[in-house]
Amino acid sequence: MLEIIYQDEWLVAVNKPSGWLVHRSWLDRHEKVFVMQTVRDQIGQHVFTVHRLDRPTSGVLLMALSSEVAHLLSQQFENHQIHKRYHAVTRGWLEDEAVLDYPLTEELDKIADKHASLDKGPQPAVTHYRGVATVEMPVSVGRYPTARYSLVELEPQTGRKHQLRRHLSHLRHPIIGDSKHGDLRQNRAAAEHFGCQRLMLHASQLELSHPVTGEPLTLRARLDDTWMQMMSQFGWRGMLSDIEKVEFAAGNRQDENQEP
């Protein structure tokens, strides 16, 4: 069962787990679990995708319940009318706040994009980033006796493929767990010492106008167990209170049906 963040007669939004494909792809013919099919079976309705998250990325995934609403939402995404917020754990100390305007050449898949044009120049790519917290841990990585990490908030203004991962790599603060654009030694250390077996990139929030009612809509996705474990280990609990899981000590869990 996937966590449903929001549902009405026109939309459904879920908290996509890391490692899940959004929809069936012939590039992953042996994969049997997909978000679209799972949500369809869970709510008993067909769903229509309007945006995507990379397989290793977790967080808010919005879908429409009709092709007409899907078209309206797609227009909002294309016109940059939907505000997206992500969080990441990166290598090193990233403490400032700035806007990175760094064009990116298109990343092509050897199979899926074999007929795509190879002479496309760099495309505009803009990301607003802000350092939220830093920590230094007594873990030796390479020639350094300790390892430094940052909790970073990211707001992409454009939607290039792997934009956030590539922009942070350009800043020399690659995301922990990024197997393509990251630091292999840091990834291994995070897996060994902190139990991190995933890309530490989470789509935390979407802000949009409801495509039918016009009302403002804010969708938030809670952090998963790997995130919460790392937040505890790094002393960052409470810094993302609006998306952190609320945990109760054994024996103190309140009965939801109990009268106040």
Side-chain angles (χ1 to χ4, degrees):
M1 295 280 286
L2 290 173
E3 178 189 357
I4 294 179
I5 299 169
Y6 177 87
Q7 184 179 0
D8 61 22
E9 59 185 294
W10 302 287
L11 311 172
V12 62
V14 300
N15 189 353
K16 174 192 168 299
S18 175
W20 283 49
L21 289 168
V22 172
H23 49 71
R24 192 180 301 276
S25 168
W26 61 273
L27 292 174
D28 295 274
R29 287 174 292 179
H30 303 295
E31 184 59 65
K32 297 180 180 179
V33 179
F34 309 93
V35 174
M36 280 187 67
Q37 284 80 1
T38 301
V39 175
R40 178 198 63 195
D41 295 343
Q42 194 167 324
I43 68 174
Q45 288 182 258
H46 283 288
V47 295
F48 300 79
T49 56
V50 293
H51 70 125
R52 64 184 296 274
L53 293 175
D54 293 335
R55 183 174 190 164
T57 304
S58 59
V60 182
L61 184 70
L62 178 62
M63 289 164 281
L65 298 180
S66 71
S67 58
E68 294 79 12
V69 173
H71 176 67
L72 294 173
L73 284 172
S74 295
Q75 286 184 319
Q76 286 195 47
F77 276 103
E78 291 169 7
N79 295 328
H80 307 292
Q81 295 171 326
I82 294 181
H83 182 215
K84 296 175 281 187
R85 178 174 297 162
Y86 292 73
H87 286 93
V89 178
T90 70
R91 180 194 73 183
W93 282 3
L94 196 162
E95 301 176 276
D96 59 337
E97 179 175 0
V99 174
L100 176 62
D101 186 346
Y102 179 71
L104 297 170
T105 54
E106 187 173 6
E107 278 192 346
L108 298 178
D109 184 275
K110 290 181 181 179
I111 300 176
D113 299 316
K114 63 181 180 180
H115 299 301
S117 173
L118 299 177
D119 56 0
K120 241 187 208 180
Q123 303 296 301
V126 180
T127 301
H128 175 270
Y129 65 89
R130 179 177 70 89
V132 177
T134 59
V135 70
E136 186 166 3
M137 301 297 288
V139 172
S140 177
V141 182
R143 66 180 187 272
Y144 301 104
T146 61
R148 291 180 169 185
Y149 303 96
S150 294
L151 176 61
V152 183
E153 184 177 275
L154 302 155
E155 296 179 357
Q157 310 302 308
T158 51
R160 305 303 171 194
K161 185 177 180 180
H162 296 170
Q163 175 175 316
L164 299 180
R165 295 159 68 176
R166 297 172 71 186
H167 269 181
L168 284 167
S169 180
H170 173 72
L171 291 172
R172 301 189 183 278
H173 293 285
I175 299 175
I176 298 301
D178 188 344
S179 59
K180 186 168 186 179
H181 303 284
D183 184 315
L184 181 58
R185 289 181 300 181
Q186 288 283 353
N187 294 345
R188 287 173 175 168
E192 178 182 353
H193 296 282
F194 309 118
C196 175
Q197 304 285 348
R198 55 154 296 182
L199 174 73
M200 293 303 290
L201 179 63
H202 182 70
S204 308
Q205 181 174 296
L206 284 181
E207 292 181 42
L208 65 148
S209 296
H210 193 290
V212 178
T213 69
E215 293 295 316
L217 189 60
T218 298
L219 307 172
R220 295 189 182 93
R222 296 187 302 170
L223 300 174
D224 64 18
D225 291 341
T226 300
W227 263 93
M228 291 303 296
Q229 179 178 316
M230 189 167 275
M231 294 286 283
S232 294
Q233 291 170 316
F234 289 179
W236 293 343
R237 290 292 294 271
M239 293 184 177
L240 302 178
S241 58
D242 57 344
I243 57 170
E244 291 180 25
K245 284 184 179 179
V246 177
E247 298 175 351
F248 297 93
N252 291 331
R253 189 180 300 274
Q254 301 210 2
D255 185 344
E256 293 179 356
N257 297 318
Q258 183 178 337
E259 291 295 331

